[in-house]
């Protein structure tokens, strides 16, 4: 560390970068235990508080996890491939599993979800997308989706209450044939979707629901479903932690952005 102490970069930041590099190149493999704080203190010739600051940084970046009383371990990263373009594909044939469950059961992971339903005054941005009148209520179906016990994303779907009042959409259970099909049966088929993706830091509620470590960014995917006449009937807000997802799009044709 003698050379590392030279320059303006803080020593704890240099230790963090050294450990980060070892994780990136596989020297410290997934699930491997890091040296103890005492060993790192000796290895780098610094105070224990300096080592702890470096380790805290890597925890906040989602690279390592503390497992008391054993110490710190390299986090096993197995991201979910999130595909917005699959929105309108047919539902799985197995009634007890929705699209998410079917996709990832076969991947060797254990999926589950929670579903809550409420009648709400929607947030202003949702109200605007659904073109609701002032004071008009919406129904929201809130999901937290898990893989192997870890919350991977949230999925909050808003509908004008006047369209779904007294329908099965109001029940906090999975709908085997899909909510899109229910809306079509009610006379509101969705033929187009407007997708928006925002990258930002999470809200306190998102941190709580997704059990996010400090400093974890999220992608916010907002999908507005539109009927043939352009009427919006559904707004879905998906929150995707940046350390757990890869967003994948498929496009037809050979044109690459920037290459006319």
């Amino acid at each position: 560390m003698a050379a590392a102490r030279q320059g303006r970069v803080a020593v704890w930041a240099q230790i963090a970068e050294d450990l980060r590099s070892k994780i990136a190149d596989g020297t410290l493999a997934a699930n491997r235990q890091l040296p103890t704080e005492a060993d790192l203190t000796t290895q780098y010739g610094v105070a224990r508080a300096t080592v702890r600051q470096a380790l805290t940084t890597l925890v906040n970046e989602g690279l390592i996890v503390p497992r008391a009383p054993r110490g710190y371990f390299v986090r096993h990263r197995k991201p979910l491939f999130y595909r917005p373009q699959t929105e309108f594909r047919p539902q799985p044939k197995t009634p007890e599993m929705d699209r998410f469950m079917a996709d990832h059961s076969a991947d060797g992971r254990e999926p589950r979800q929670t579903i809550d339903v409420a009648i709400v005054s929607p947030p202003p941005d949702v109200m605007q997308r659904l073109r609701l009148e002032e004071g008009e209520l919406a129904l929201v179906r809130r999901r937290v989706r898990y893989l192997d016990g870890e919350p991977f994303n949230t999925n909050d779907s808003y509908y004008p209450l006047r369209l779904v009042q007294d329908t099965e959409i109001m029940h906090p259970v999975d709908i085997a044939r899909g909510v899109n099909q229910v809306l079509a049966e009610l006379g509101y088929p969705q033929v187009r979707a407007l997708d928006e993706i925002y990258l930002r830091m999470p809200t306190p509620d998102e941190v709580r629901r997704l059990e996010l470590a400090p400093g974890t960014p999220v992608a916010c995917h907002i999908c507005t479903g539109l009927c043939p006449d352009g009427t919006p009937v559904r707004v879905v807000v998906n929150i995707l932690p940046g350390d757990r997802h890869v967003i994948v799009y498929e496009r037809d044709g050979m044109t690459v952005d920037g290459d006319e």
Side-chain angles (χ1 to χ4, degrees):
M1 282 294 296
R5 295 188 184 189
Q6 299 175 3
R8 297 182 179 181
V9 179
V11 176
W12 66 264
Q14 296 178 51
I15 295 172
E17 176 56 29
D18 186 48
L19 294 173
R20 190 184 295 114
S21 297
K22 290 177 179 177
I23 293 172
D25 66 18
T27 302
L28 290 172
N31 293 323
R32 177 173 170 180
Q33 184 174 5
L34 270 67
T36 65
E37 289 184 3
D39 288 341
L40 290 173
T41 297
T42 300
Q43 177 182 337
Y44 291 107
V46 296
R48 180 166 290 197
T50 302
V51 166
R52 285 178 178 169
Q53 191 169 3
L55 294 172
T56 297
T57 297
L58 298 181
V59 170
N60 291 343
E61 292 176 4
L63 294 176
I64 64 174
V65 291
R67 295 176 185 168
R70 300 172 61 193
Y72 295 87
F73 290 77
V74 178
R75 182 175 180 181
H76 178 55
R77 288 174 173 267
K78 192 174 183 182
L80 170 67
F81 287 87
Y82 179 80
R83 298 175 174 87
Q85 70 270 20
T86 63
E87 174 65 24
F88 295 111
R89 77 182 186 191
Q91 290 288 310
K93 295 180 180 180
T94 309
E96 65 270 21
M97 294 198 302
D98 75 350
R99 178 183 303 116
F100 175 84
M101 308 287 269
D103 280 349
H104 303 290
S105 291
D107 194 31
R109 307 195 221 183
E110 181 183 351
R112 70 178 180 90
Q113 63 181 336
T114 61
I115 304 176
D116 297 301
V117 176
I119 296 173
V120 299
S121 296
D125 60 331
V126 172
M127 174 179 271
Q128 182 180 20
R129 288 180 175 89
L130 284 176
R131 302 178 195 166
L132 300 181
E133 299 292 337
E134 188 67 31
E136 190 173 357
L137 298 177
L139 180 81
V140 59
R141 291 171 58 89
R142 293 191 176 102
R143 303 185 189 218
V144 180
R145 288 165 161 169
Y146 298 79
L147 287 176
D148 295 335
E150 181 180 18
F152 252 66
N153 59 55
T154 60
N155 171 272
D156 296 347
S157 302
Y158 294 84
Y159 311 87
L161 181 60
R162 56 184 163 77
L163 301 186
V164 299
Q165 184 83 52
D166 299 324
T167 70
E168 60 192 294
I169 294 175
M170 298 190 70
H171 300 296
V173 295
D174 186 46
I175 300 174
R177 68 187 188 283
V179 173
N180 289 347
Q181 181 60 36
V182 175
L183 286 172
E185 294 167 4
L186 292 171
Y188 306 105
Q190 296 167 82
V191 297
R192 291 187 298 119
L194 175 63
D195 292 293
E196 307 165 62
I197 296 179
Y198 301 88
L199 304 178
R200 58 173 173 77
M201 298 307 294
T203 66
D205 182 62
E206 292 161 357
V207 170
R208 177 187 61 80
R209 293 176 73 190
L210 290 165
E211 302 174 13
L212 300 177
T216 304
V218 298
C220 175
H221 171 218
I222 302 177
C223 176
T224 302
L226 305 168
C227 290
D229 64 357
T231 300
V233 294
R234 183 184 62 120
V235 170
V236 183
V237 181
N238 301 284
I239 301 300
L240 317 170
D243 61 346
R244 303 170 202 176
H245 290 82
V246 176
I247 299 176
V248 180
Y249 274 96
E250 292 178 279
R251 293 184 290 169
D252 294 329
M254 299 298 293
T255 301
V256 178
D257 289 346
D259 184 9
E260 298 297 335

